[in-house]
Amino acid sequence: MMTGCNGIRPRRPGGLRGVPAFLSTALLKVSTLLGVTALLGVTALLGVTILLSGCTVPAAAPPAGGLGIGWRVERSLELEYAKNFSVDYYPEDYALVTLSDKSRFLVVPPGRTAPEGIGGDITVLQRPLRSVYLVATSVMAQFDELHALDQIRLSGTRAADWQSQNARTAMENGSIVFAGKYSAPDYELILSSQCDLAIESSMINHVPEVKEKLLGMKVPVLIDQSSYEKHPLGRTEWIKLYGVLTGREEQAAASFDRQAALLREASVQSGTGKSVAFFYISSAGQVVVRKPGDYITKMIDLAGGSYAFSHLGDPEQADNTVNLDMEAFYAAARDADVLIYNSALAGEVASLADLTARNALLSKFKAVQTGNVWCTEKNLYQETTRLGLMVSDLNRLLTDPDPTLNQLHFFTRLR
C-alpha cells in the first residue's frame, strides 16, 4: 500500500480524491513502483491535483542563480571554449554575468535602471561605462579591439609598458591616466574620477585589503579570470564578456570568429613530428620553461608541435613555470627541432650570438646549429585577442621550409 511523504499510510485507501477510478489505480501503481515524487510528476503532467492524507509536499526550491525576482532567462551567450564565465540575457537586454569565482554582475542597458529586489550578491553595472580603472593588462587588447578605449579612464599600467599603440597614445594625451598598480592604487584619483568599474587580474587576491577598500568606496570590482582558461581560445573568447560590458557584442563575436577560423586552419591533428622548447634565461642564470598543459604549450600542440618538456612539473601546483639549471635543460632539449626564446619576460635577444653569449652550452643545441631558433615579440602576453593568429604563426614556423622566412606576427628568427 502507498505511504505518504512522511511514511504514514493514507487514511483514504482505494483511490485518489477527485480522480476517476481507472486513472487512480494507474497512478497508485506508479507510486508503488517509483515513489510519491514520481506520482506527483505524472499528475502534474496530466494537470491533476491530488491531496494525500499524511503527506506534506515541500515547496519547490527556488532555481539556482537568476535575479531572484521571477524574471526568466530569454537566452544565454553562446561560448565555444571559455569555461570561466557565462552571460544570461533577460527581457529588454538586461544581462547577468556570472564568473567562476561566483561573483555576479547585472549589466543594465542605457536609459534603464536596475530592477528592485534583485539578489544581494549581484553587483549592478550601468551602461555605458565611462570611467573604468583597468588593471588587468591582458584586457586592454580586448577594449582596443572593440574600439572602447573611451570607456577607460584609469590605468594600472604606465604608458611605456603598454604594447598597444592606441593605449599608449590615450595615456600620452591624457584621456587615460595612471592610477597606480594593483597593490597601490591612487584611491583619491579613483574616487574623484567617479570610477564605475575596476577590472583587476587575479593578483588582486594577494592584496584583499585593496579590493575591500575599493568596494568600500562603492567601486565595483570584476576580477578577470581568463588566465584560468585551459584552451587558448578560451582566453580569447573573453572578448565576448567585454563586448557585453561595452555594448559591443556583435564586434566581439566577429573578432572571436576570426581567431577561431585561424585556429581551425592552423590546427594539425596528426602532428608535424617536430619538438619545441619554449624558454627564457632568468637574471640568476636559471632556465625557465613552461609546464605542460598551460595555454602556451597547448598552442604548440595545436600547431602540430611536440613540447619538449611534456612530463615536467607537478600538475597539481598552480604555477605555470619550472626552473631548471642549464645542464638539465640541455639534457631535455638539446635535440629539439625548434627553440623559442620568450623575450616577453626576459628582454629581446638580437641574434644567435646574443643568445649563446648568455650560456655557451646553447651553441651545442640542434636547433641552434640548424638555424631554427625564434624569439617572441614583447606583446606576447598582452595580445589575448589574437591567439588564433599565434597558433597560425607557430604552425608556419614548424612547417614552412623557406630558409628566408625570418619574421612572423609574433616570432622573429634569430640569425
Side-chain angles (χ1 to χ4, degrees):
M1 179 176 291
M2 181 181 66
T3 61
C5 297
N6 55 7
I8 301 174
R9 293 183 179 180
R11 298 193 189 103
R12 297 174 62 89
L16 300 175
R17 187 183 302 172
V19 180
F22 76 94
L23 183 56
S24 174
T25 300
L27 291 175
L28 287 172
K29 288 182 178 179
V30 169
S31 176
T32 301
L33 292 172
L34 302 178
V36 171
T37 299
L39 172 62
L40 295 176
V42 172
T43 54
L45 289 174
L46 295 175
V48 174
T49 301
I50 64 172
L51 177 63
L52 300 178
S53 301
C55 176
T56 301
V57 181
L67 298 177
I69 55 175
W71 286 15
R72 293 184 177 275
V73 175
E74 290 189 334
R75 61 186 177 90
S76 297
L77 182 65
E78 293 186 6
L79 298 172
E80 294 184 46
Y81 298 96
K83 306 297 183 184
N84 286 282
F85 79 93
S86 63
V87 180
D88 293 324
Y89 289 93
Y90 290 85
E92 300 178 343
D93 288 330
Y94 286 83
L96 181 64
V97 173
T98 303
L99 305 186
S100 56
D101 65 356
K102 307 304 182 184
S103 58
R104 301 199 294 163
F105 302 84
L106 180 63
V107 183
V108 178
R112 301 193 180 278
T113 58
E116 295 183 0
I118 62 174
D121 65 316
I122 299 175
T123 299
V124 174
L125 300 178
Q126 180 70 55
R127 281 185 38 222
L129 297 172
R130 293 188 173 89
S131 187
V132 171
Y133 172 37
L134 181 59
V135 185
T137 55
S138 64
V139 178
M140 181 63 83
Q142 317 274 22
F143 274 74
D144 194 3
E145 177 76 4
L146 296 171
H147 303 288
L149 293 187
D150 60 325
Q151 299 187 30
I152 300 172
R153 176 58 183 155
L154 307 168
S155 169
T157 301
R158 296 188 183 275
D161 295 323
W162 285 118
Q163 298 304 314
S164 164
Q165 180 59 54
N166 291 333
R168 289 198 301 270
T169 300
M171 295 196 72
E172 289 164 0
N173 66 28
S175 58
I176 299 177
V177 297
F178 180 66
K181 63 180 185 178
Y182 76 96
S183 58
D186 185 335
Y187 295 114
E188 290 186 7
L189 178 57
I190 292 170
L191 188 62
S192 64
S193 299
Q194 297 181 317
C195 178
D196 45 19
L197 175 64
I199 301 178
E200 301 275 356
S201 73
S202 59
M203 294 297 291
I204 194 68
N205 294 323
H206 298 292
V207 283
E209 66 276 10
V210 172
K211 179 181 177 182
E212 292 173 7
K213 176 74 171 179
L214 291 170
L215 292 175
M217 295 164 53
K218 306 302 182 185
V219 175
V221 177
L222 183 153
I223 302 177
D224 178 88
Q225 292 157 66
S226 60
S227 62
Y228 299 134
E229 298 292 348
K230 300 297 184 183
H231 195 284
L233 280 198
R235 296 182 174 219
T236 299
E237 199 163 21
W238 273 68
I239 195 172
K240 294 182 179 180
L241 170 62
Y242 297 110
V244 173
L245 298 186
T246 60
R248 294 184 166 106
E249 290 99 326
E250 291 184 5
Q251 297 94 318
S255 176
F256 173 78
D257 288 345
R258 287 192 293 271
Q259 295 305 308
L262 286 168
L263 177 69
R264 287 191 293 270
E265 293 172 6
S267 294
V268 177
Q269 300 299 325
S270 58
T272 63
K274 294 184 178 180
S275 58
V276 179
F278 188 95
F279 73 104
Y280 72 90
I281 299 175
S282 71
S283 58
Q286 291 280 297
V287 182
V288 184
V289 300
R290 308 292 296 195
K291 285 173 58 176
D294 89 325
Y295 84 105
I296 294 287
T297 62
K298 180 65 174 177
M299 286 194 291
I300 292 171
D301 178 66
L302 290 168
S306 173
Y307 187 53
F309 302 98
S310 58
H311 302 293
L312 185 65
D314 182 355
E316 298 302 320
Q317 294 182 353
D319 56 309
N320 292 320
T321 60
V322 177
N323 294 339
L324 302 173
D325 58 37
M326 182 53 73
E327 289 71 22
F329 179 67
Y330 176 74
R334 62 185 175 187
D335 293 324
D337 296 291
V338 177
L339 294 181
I340 301 178
Y341 190 77
N342 183 7
S343 60
L345 294 178
E348 293 183 355
V349 291
S351 64
L352 279 176
D354 189 10
L355 178 63
T356 55
R358 303 193 178 196
N359 193 297
L361 192 57
L362 288 167
S363 62
K364 297 183 178 182
F365 281 64
K366 172 185 173 181
V368 173
Q369 295 174 354
T370 59
N372 281 317
V373 181
W374 298 74
C375 71
T376 65
E377 298 293 332
K378 281 188 175 181
N379 61 351
L380 181 68
Y381 296 112
Q382 292 187 18
E383 283 286 1
T384 54
T385 58
R386 300 198 297 167
L387 295 184
L389 181 59
M390 200 175 296
V391 173
S392 180
D393 268 9
L394 286 166
N395 175 257
R396 190 173 178 193
L397 68 83
L398 286 169
T399 60
D400 195 326
D402 183 1
T404 66
L405 178 65
N406 295 320
Q407 186 65 54
L408 297 169
H409 295 91
F410 295 98
F411 305 98
T412 301
R413 191 195 296 265
L414 296 182
R415 294 293 189 182

